Structure formats: structure tokens, C-alpha cells
């Protein structure tokens, strides 16, 4: 396709470049030699030439456009694929909005550079080279005078390129900010309303919007200045040529036809030249955008794990002196964590908020890896397993349930497209999803809205439990899975969970201690350390932190 496009451009450029040469023949034949044949040939020639030029034009625009859109699609696909593969830590450091803006806005700029700019770059360079060849052939001496100004043009393009690249980078990052503020305000529109924060958010938006405009104006200024300057430089060249040419004509060194053709070629050159200067801007924008896009593509993907395969683990978990930090300056979030859970056991983790409970369980599906020590499944370091195999062993039901804008059915079967309809319905029944789905139009096929907005907190929770039931993994993580529920939903969900726990190794994080009294072991976490561990009865008898927490909750 690209070669076809280049062929089209060559056709187009050839016609343009041939034009002055044909004009010379015409003028000399018509006026100097007074040849009668030109009367018919010239008008026919014009039509044929423009037809050929039109075909070239069509080919180049269509083929290059097609190449450009393919490029965009491919880059978008690759960037999106890389977004899916980046480790969880990457998203702790990078906001989602700038990443979205790279996927939508920046990639379009790459397309612009890859199509319009490349088309012009190739076509106009070819036209200029063709015309230049003609000029040299017509009169090399005059051409040399015209070319004297070319270093000025090259210098100008260099300077503007540098400035344009700088401003483009700024514009693109400000587009990320615009996306961020808009996304935040839209996603939390209820909060904005409740706090009368419309003004505050407008002001925040105004700031990023203004920064975007101001950065753009700098780019526009450079663009606006560069054009007249190029024209001026071209005029200098033309002036030099005229000076020499007029003297040559007077001295009979040059015919009128030669001179007219020369002048025509020179003037024809100014249009592609102007276009070439004009594409510096989209080209530099595209390069700046390309840098931001390739930064993503070059970011290392998540470690795919080892080669150990496992269909279904027994579910023996061991934390062996695990220490973990999110960022060096924030200190250790987990310190020397050491405990074991036998297959089928339930281990409860309690502790103040911020003590590291969620972090601890996030190590199991390898959302993060320990800095020191190891987490073992069935006696093997998690890092030995193929990542996909490992994650198939773990189900998570957490406080915030992630739902996609789709039916309840597809949310339950998320990531399990091969699930049988009966299995989905069975999971939905066991998790008490059917209880509320029955009331909805379409039942399980009712849509849940964006991020599950059309469901209540308890209903979302039940969908998450159905998901975990369907996934049927040997390890289950419940991270404050019930903290947002009222007593009635909790009773339902307790029942559903009891079914879910059976035969699985479970790590359960709960604030309400009543829900974990029957755990095989309770671990009390404080500032990332295990400060107590044992059964409910043992911990109460010991009269430590857990006993104090328990007294507080039950007022005994
Ligand atoms: N993604 C993250 N990046 C950096 N720090 C984090 C991240 N998640 C949690 N933290 C920090 O780690 C500590 C433990 O958090 P967390 O494990 O969520 O506690 P808990 O679940 O016990 O409330 C907190 O101080 C929190 O600020
Ligand atoms: Mg937590």
C-alpha cells in the first residue's frame, strides 16, 4: 500500500515537475517557431496531464491514508495490550487519565505525522527535486543563484523543529491533565454535587484548559512566523535570480521561453516548499507523541513467572519472612511476615486500617512481589509458577467490586467466557444474585451500568461472590468483603460465603470480629508486623491486642 502511495506521489510530482518544461516547449514553439500544431496539442495535453496528476493524487491520498490508519490501529492495539501487561506497581505511579489521553489523542498525532506529513514530505520533496533537476537542465548558473538561499531555509527548519517539539510535548501533557480533571469530575459527579464543588472543579478545569491553550498558542506562533519568513527567504532567492536573468536576457544569453520556464519552475517550487515547512509542525507533534507512545511500549511488562504449571493447587500457603515496600522513601509496609495455612484452613487477618492487610493478600496473586523472603504455594515459591496458572488458583472478593458495563451474567463469567449457562445460574443462585436479578427486566441479562452503578453495594458484592464461586479456585481472599453491608444482606452473604469457603484455603480480612471467630487462626497485624497470632479462644485468653479489640466491639 505504501509503495502504491509512493508511486502515486511520483506520478503527481512528475506532472508538476514536467510542467515548466512543457511550458517552455509550448512557448518556444508557439511564439518563436510559430508551429501550428501546438494549437491542438496544448489544450489536450493539459487535460491529460491533469488526469494523470489526479490519478496520482488519488492513489497517494488513499494509499497513504490506508497505511496511516493501519499504523494507528496497530499502535493502539499494541499500547492497549501493553497497558494490560504492565505490572500493578506501574499504575501506582502513573495516573490513568494521561494513559487514556495517550491512547486517544497522542496516537492520532502519530497518524497525522504518518499520513499527511509523510505524504507531503515525500511528494513535495520529489516535486522539488524534479523541478530542481529541470532548473539545472534549463540553466545551472541561475539555479546556483537560487540555491544560495537554501542554507537559510534549512537553518530555519531546524530552529522551528526544536521549538515545535518542545511545545508539542507540553500540549500533549496538558491534554493528559484535561482528561484527568474531566474524568475525575465526571466519575465523582455525586461527590461534586454534594459538596457544591462545581466552582472548585470548574476552576481546576479552567487551569488545565488554559495551560493547554497557552501551550498551543506558542506552537501556533512558531508556525505563523515560520511561513512568512520562508517566503521572504524565497523572495531573496528570486531577487538574486532576476538580477542575473535580466542581465543575461539583455546580453542575449537567455531566450524568453527559457526564462519563462525557469521562472515558472521557480515559482512552482514555492508551493511545495511552503507545504514542506508547514508539515514540520505535525511532524514534530507526531514525533513527540511517538516518544510518549513508545515510552509505554518500552515499559517492561509484568514478570510472566516461571515455568511451573499447575492445574489445581492443593492450597497450602506459606509466608516466609516476607518484607515488602511500595516505595523506598515510604518505608516497609510488611515486615518479617511468617505464617502458614494448611489446605482448606481459614486464616483471619485483623488490624487497624493501614496496617498492611490488603497489601499482604495482594502478594498471593503476585500483584506485587516481596522485597525479601518468599510466598509459597504448595511448597513452591510463587515466582516459579506460570503467572496465568497461579492467578487461576486465587479468587478475590474485596470491598470495592469491579464491574464492567455489561449484563450481570457476563460480569459473573468475567474472564471465563467458556462457562456453561447452567454453571453461571448455579453460582448466581448460591450467591443470592438470582434473588434480586429476578426483579430486574431481563433477569441475569440486565445490565449493571458503568462500574455497576445500577446495582446497590450489597448486590455488587453478591455478583463478586458469584464470580468467585464460578471461578472455583482453591484459594479465596475476602478483603473486607462485607464491610459495606446491612444486616439483612450480610445474612444472605454469610450464607453464600459459607458455601464458598468450603474446601478452600481462605484468607479473610474483616473488621467485624464476629465474622472470624471460627477461623483456624487469627493473625493480628500492626504497622506491617504480626503482633499476635492464634485461635480466637487462645487470643482472648492471652489478653493482648485482639482481646482488647474484641472487648471494644462487644462491650464486655
Ligand atoms: N498502591 C500503593 N502504593 C503505595 N502505598 C500504598 C499502596 N497501597 C497501600 N499503600 C500504603 O501501604 C500501607 C498499608 O496499606 P493497606 O495494605 O491497604 O492497609 P490495610 O488494608 O490494612 O488498611 C498504608 O500505609 C498505605 O498508605
Ligand atoms: Mg485494606
Amino acid at each position: 500500500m505504501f509503495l502504491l502511495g509512493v508511486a502515486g506521489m511520483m506520478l503527481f510530482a512528475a506532472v508538476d515537475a514536467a510542467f515548466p518544461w512543457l511550458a517552455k516547449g509550448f512557448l518556444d514553439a508557439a511564439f518563436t517557431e510559430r508551429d501550428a500544431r501546438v494549437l491542438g496539442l496544448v489544450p489536450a495535453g493539459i487535460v491529460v496531464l491533469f488526469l494523470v496528476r489526479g490519478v496520482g493524487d488519488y492513489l497517494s491520498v488513499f494509499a497513504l491514508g490506508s497505511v496511516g490508519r493501519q499504523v494507528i490501529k496497530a499502535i493502539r492495539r499494541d499500547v492497549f495490550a501493553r497497558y494490560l501487561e504492565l505490572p500493578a506497581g506501574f499504575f501506582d505511579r502513573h495516573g490513568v487519565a494521561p494513559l487514556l489521553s495517550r491512547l486517544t489523542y497522542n496516537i492520532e498525532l502519530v497518524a497525522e505525522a504518518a499520513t499527511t506529513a509523510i505524504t507531503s514530505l515525500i511528494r513535495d520533496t520529489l516535486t522539488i527535486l524534479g523541478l530542481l533537476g529541470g532548473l539545472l537542465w534549463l540553466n545551472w548558473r541561475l539555479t546556483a543563484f537560487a540555491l544560495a538561499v537554501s542554507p537559510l531555509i534549512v537553518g530555519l527548519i531546524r530552529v522551528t523543529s526544536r521549538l515545535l517539539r518542545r511545545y508539542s510535548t507540553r500540549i500533549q501533557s496538558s491534554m493528559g491533565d484535561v482528561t484527568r480533571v474531566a474524568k475525575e469530575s465526571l466519575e465523582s459527579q455525586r461527590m461534586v454535587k454534594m459538596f457544591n464543588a462545581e466552582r472548585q472543579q470548574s476552576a481546576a478545569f479552567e487551569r488545565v484548559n488554559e495551560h493547554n491553550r497557552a501551550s498551543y498558542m506558542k506552537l501556533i506562533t512558531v508556525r505563523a512566523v515560520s511561513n512568512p519568513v520562508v517566503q521572504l527567504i524565497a523572495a531573496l532567492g528570486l531577487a538574486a535570480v532576476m538580477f542575473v536573468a535580466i542581465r543575461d536576457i539583455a546580453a542575449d544569453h537567455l531566450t524568453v521561453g527559457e526564462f519563462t520556464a525557469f521562472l515558472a519552475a521557480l515559482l512552482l517550487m514555492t508551493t511545495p516548499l511552503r507545504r514542506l515547512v508547514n508539515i514540520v509542525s505535525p511532524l514534530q507533534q507526531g514525533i513527540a507523541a511517538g516518544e510518549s507512545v513508545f515510552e509505554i511500549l518500552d515499559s517492561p511488562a509484568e514478570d510472566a513467572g516461571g515455568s511451573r504449571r499447575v492445574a489445581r493447587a492443593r492450597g497450602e500457603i506459606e509466608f516466609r519472612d516476607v518484607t515488602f515496600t511500595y516505595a523506598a522513601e515510604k518505608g516497609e509496609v510488611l515486615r518479617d511476615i511468617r505464617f502458614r495455612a494448611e489446605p482448606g484452613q481459614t486464616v483471619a487477618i485483623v488490624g487497624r486500617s493501614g496496617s498492611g492487610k490488603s497489601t499482604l493478600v495482594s502478594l498471593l496473586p503476585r500483584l506485587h512481589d516481596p522485597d525479601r523472603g518468599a510466598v509459597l504455594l504448595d511448597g513452591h515459591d510463587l515466582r516459579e509458577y506460570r503467572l496465568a496458572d497461579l492467578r487461576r488458583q486465587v479468587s478475590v472478593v474485596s470491598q470495592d467490586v469491579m464491574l464492567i458495563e455489561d449484563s450481570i451474567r457476563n460480569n459473573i463469567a468475567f474472564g471465563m467466557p467458556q462457562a456453561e449457562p447452567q454453571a453461571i445460574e448455579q453460582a448466581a443462585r448460591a450467591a443470592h444474585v438470582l434473588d434480586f436479578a429476578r426483579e430486574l427486566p431481563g433477569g441475569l441479562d440486565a445490565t449493571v451500568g458503568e462500574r455497576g452503578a445500577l446495582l446497590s453495594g450489597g448486590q455488587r458484592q453478591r455478583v463478586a461472590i458469584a464470580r468467585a464461586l464460578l471461578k472455583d479456585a482453591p484459594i479465596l481472599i475476602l478483603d473486607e468483603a462485607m464491610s459495606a453491608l446491612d444486616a439483612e444482606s450480610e445474612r444472605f452473604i454469610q450464607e453464600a460465603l459459607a458455601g464458598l469457603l468450603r474446601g478452600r484455603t481462605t484468607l479473610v480480612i474483616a473488621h467485624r470480629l464476629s465474622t472470624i471467630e471460627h477461623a483456624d487462626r487469627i493473625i493480628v497485624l500492626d504497622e506491617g508486623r504480626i503482633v499476635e497470632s492464634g485461635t480466637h479462644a487462645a487470643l482472648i485468653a492471652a489478653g493482648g491486642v485482639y482481646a482488647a479489640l474484641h472487648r471494644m466491639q462487644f462491650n464486655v
Side-chain angles (χ1 to χ4, degrees):
M1 247 348 202
F2 186 76
L3 290 180
L4 197 64
V6 172
M9 288 187 249
M10 287 168 97
L11 216 56
F12 185 96
V15 173
D16 271 11
F19 210 75
W21 176 76
L22 294 170
K24 172 191 174 291
F26 161 65
L27 285 169
D28 284 346
F31 298 114
T32 315
E33 296 155 26
R34 305 200 177 264
D35 187 336
R37 281 176 308 161
V38 294
L39 191 64
L41 279 177
V42 169
I46 288 178
V47 174
V48 171
L49 279 178
F50 273 81
L51 193 69
V52 172
R53 190 174 180 269
V55 170
D57 200 9
Y58 165 79
L59 279 181
S60 65
V61 171
F62 181 84
L64 263 294
S66 154
V67 169
R69 296 325 296 182
Q70 295 275 7
V71 166
I72 286 325
K73 188 183 163 210
I75 297 182
R76 245 193 208 128
R77 182 191 59 216
D78 291 355
V79 168
F80 183 72
R82 182 44 55 108
Y83 280 166
L84 295 181
E85 291 166 355
L86 288 168
F90 181 91
F91 296 95
D92 296 339
R93 293 189 303 276
H94 294 76
V96 167
L99 298 179
L100 283 180
S101 144
R102 284 187 204 190
L103 193 65
T104 52
Y105 178 68
N106 294 19
I107 291 182
E108 281 301 328
L109 293 177
V110 177
E112 182 67 15
T115 53
T116 320
I118 294 277
T119 308
S120 174
L121 190 67
I122 297 177
R123 194 159 85 178
D124 293 325
T125 310
L126 284 175
T127 309
I128 288 177
L129 286 178
L131 287 169
L132 210 57
L135 284 178
L136 284 168
W137 176 76
L138 279 169
N139 191 325
W140 65 267
R141 219 162 61 89
L142 281 181
T143 310
F145 276 96
L147 282 181
V149 295
S150 55
L152 285 177
I153 292 185
V154 171
L156 181 83
I157 289 182
R158 272 216 183 143
V159 173
T160 53
S161 292
R162 215 178 40 236
L163 291 175
L164 289 170
R165 175 93 61 97
R166 184 184 308 159
Y167 300 141
S168 302
T169 308
R170 246 180 247 173
I171 291 170
Q172 283 156 31
S173 88
S174 78
M175 269 316 279
D177 291 334
V178 168
T179 313
R180 175 176 55 77
V181 176
K183 181 173 172 290
E184 277 171 2
S185 303
L186 292 176
E187 283 182 350
S188 49
Q189 45 91 16
R190 285 175 180 230
M191 179 174 81
V192 171
K193 287 186 170 60
M194 287 314 299
F195 284 89
N196 290 318
E198 290 87 354
R199 273 240 203 114
Q200 177 190 325
Q201 291 307 97
S202 307
F205 192 77
E206 171 63 21
R207 271 196 300 281
V208 293
N209 204 13
E210 167 60 20
H211 183 236
N212 181 258
R213 186 201 63 83
S215 311
Y216 232 116
M217 275 321 291
K218 290 198 172 129
L219 184 110
I220 289 173
T221 308
V222 173
R223 222 192 267 168
V225 168
S226 68
N227 235 329
V229 172
V230 166
Q231 303 285 312
L232 194 66
I233 294 173
L236 282 177
L238 193 63
V241 166
M242 289 303 253
F243 180 76
V244 180
I246 291 170
R247 274 188 14 188
D248 280 3
I249 291 177
D252 272 342
H253 289 324
L254 201 65
T255 70
V256 174
E258 264 174 359
F259 177 67
T260 312
F262 192 86
L263 204 60
L266 212 52
L267 289 176
L268 274 177
M269 227 154 111
T270 56
T271 308
L273 193 64
R274 201 184 61 226
R275 277 202 300 258
L276 266 189
V277 173
N278 280 342
I279 59 148
V280 173
S281 171
L283 204 59
Q284 292 301 329
Q285 280 177 287
I287 292 173
E291 279 174 356
S292 74
V293 166
F294 279 97
E295 189 186 317
I296 299 295
L297 293 178
D298 292 341
S299 295
E302 191 173 34
D303 171 16
S307 54
R308 180 174 290 280
R309 309 204 54 144
V310 55
R312 190 178 177 86
R314 285 186 296 121
E316 179 198 298
I317 297 169
E318 182 180 353
F319 276 64
R320 202 177 269 174
D321 300 325
V322 169
T323 297
F324 175 77
T325 48
Y326 280 107
E329 66 276 8
K330 285 185 67 182
E332 291 171 350
V333 176
L334 296 175
R335 269 179 267 181
D336 303 322
I337 301 293
R338 162 171 274 251
F339 72 90
R340 270 173 73 100
E342 301 300 332
Q345 277 191 338
T346 297
V347 173
I349 303 165
V350 299
R352 287 185 297 201
S353 71
S355 57
K357 305 180 296 292
S358 298
T359 306
L360 189 152
V361 295
S362 75
L363 300 184
L364 262 177
R366 284 194 70 197
L367 295 179
H368 298 101
D369 281 331
D371 294 336
R372 283 201 305 279
V375 184
L376 289 81
L377 172 64
D378 293 352
H380 296 282
D381 193 321
L382 295 184
R383 285 168 284 204
E384 287 177 26
Y385 291 100
R386 282 179 71 233
L387 194 59
D389 278 14
L390 172 67
R391 290 193 176 154
R392 211 173 300 124
Q393 312 304 317
V394 186
S395 290
V396 181
V397 182
S398 72
Q399 195 172 11
D400 37 30
V401 178
M402 305 287 173
L403 295 181
I404 52 165
E405 191 174 358
D406 202 338
S407 62
I408 297 176
R409 181 187 303 280
N410 289 346
N411 267 292
I412 292 177
F414 186 75
M416 298 169 274
Q418 74 289 354
E420 301 284 334
Q422 297 98 310
I424 297 174
E425 267 152 45
Q426 202 183 333
R429 183 171 302 113
H432 296 274
V433 169
L434 282 186
D435 295 353
F436 71 85
R438 231 173 271 145
E439 317 280 308
L440 299 173
L444 282 183
D445 293 308
T447 168
V448 302
E450 193 176 328
R451 289 179 299 148
L454 303 181
L455 300 184
S456 77
Q459 291 170 338
R460 284 201 287 268
Q461 209 83 67
R462 288 185 239 177
V463 172
I465 292 171
R467 230 181 224 177
L469 278 170
L470 185 66
K471 186 172 178 185
D472 190 28
I475 296 169
L476 176 66
I477 294 171
L478 302 174
D479 187 351
E480 298 182 18
M482 293 181 295
S483 44
L485 300 182
D486 54 275
E488 196 191 338
S489 318
E490 192 181 327
R491 194 170 51 81
F492 274 135
I493 290 176
Q494 283 281 18
E495 272 175 45
L497 280 179
L500 189 55
L501 258 61
R502 220 166 291 131
R504 297 173 215 275
T505 313
T506 307
L507 296 185
V508 50
I509 299 173
H511 276 306
R512 256 173 281 178
L513 301 184
S514 60
T515 55
I516 56 161
E517 281 175 9
H518 304 295
D520 295 292
R521 182 207 304 256
I522 296 167
I523 289 174
V524 184
L525 214 58
D526 192 39
E527 294 188 357
R529 280 180 191 283
I530 296 181
V531 290
E532 277 176 24
S533 116
T535 60
H536 174 74
L539 288 176
I540 291 288
V545 183
Y546 179 80
L549 276 174
H550 194 264
R551 262 200 310 282
M552 219 149 58
Q553 282 196 9
F554 295 94
N555 245 334
V556 290

